[in-house]
Amino acid sequence: MPVIGQTTLKGASGQDYAFKVFTSDTRLNDFIPGIYAVVKQTDDGGGASTVDEVLFIGTSQNVDVELQKHDKRDCFEKKGFNAICLHRTANNDTHKAVSEDLLGAISPTCS
């Protein structure tokens, strides 16, 4: 699962959250818990990614399984998603707090 870049999403609190960026067809093979964002993005060619549109923000104990069976997948595809951003954390309380902070600042297109 090659990382194609990194990006930062800002929550309503002003806190920046670092995300690793993967292509939309990446299979996250390990048990990876965390906060994920399904996005359309551009790459500056130097390893930094710019998120052009956030389509969805969610949390999961296994992000890959969640994405493969996601009930919003049709919306992601119609909107042209090309990347998955992952902020990895195993703590459920952190998942909730970070996702709520991000959703306070970002209105995902496919929510």
Side-chain angles (χ1 to χ4, degrees):
M1 82 185 164
V3 175
I4 61 169
Q6 295 184 50
T7 195
T8 302
L9 297 177
K10 186 181 291 286
S13 68
Q15 174 73 38
D16 288 331
Y17 299 98
F19 283 78
K20 291 183 179 179
V21 181
F22 303 87
T23 61
S24 60
D25 61 351
T26 299
R27 292 301 306 260
L28 303 167
N29 295 329
D30 342 356
F31 173 75
I32 298 181
I35 298 94
Y36 64 93
V38 177
V39 303
K40 285 175 50 176
Q41 62 96 36
T42 53
D43 185 347
D44 72 359
S49 297
T50 301
V51 172
D52 299 316
E53 183 178 5
V54 177
L55 304 176
F56 191 84
I57 294 173
T59 65
S60 179
Q61 289 299 316
N62 191 330
V63 172
D64 188 65
V65 170
E66 179 82 17
L67 288 171
Q68 296 310 312
K69 63 178 177 80
H70 206 286
D71 63 350
K72 301 285 185 182
R73 183 115 189 153
D74 285 345
C75 182
F76 303 162
E77 291 175 1
K78 285 179 187 171
K79 296 291 185 177
F81 86 106
N82 61 358
I84 302 160
C85 301
L86 179 65
H87 179 83
R88 189 173 184 169
T89 177
N91 183 300
N92 285 333
D93 292 334
T94 301
H95 286 183
K96 184 177 181 188
V98 171
S99 65
E100 286 176 359
D101 191 26
L102 290 169
L103 290 168
I106 301 168
S107 296
T109 309
C110 295
S111 288

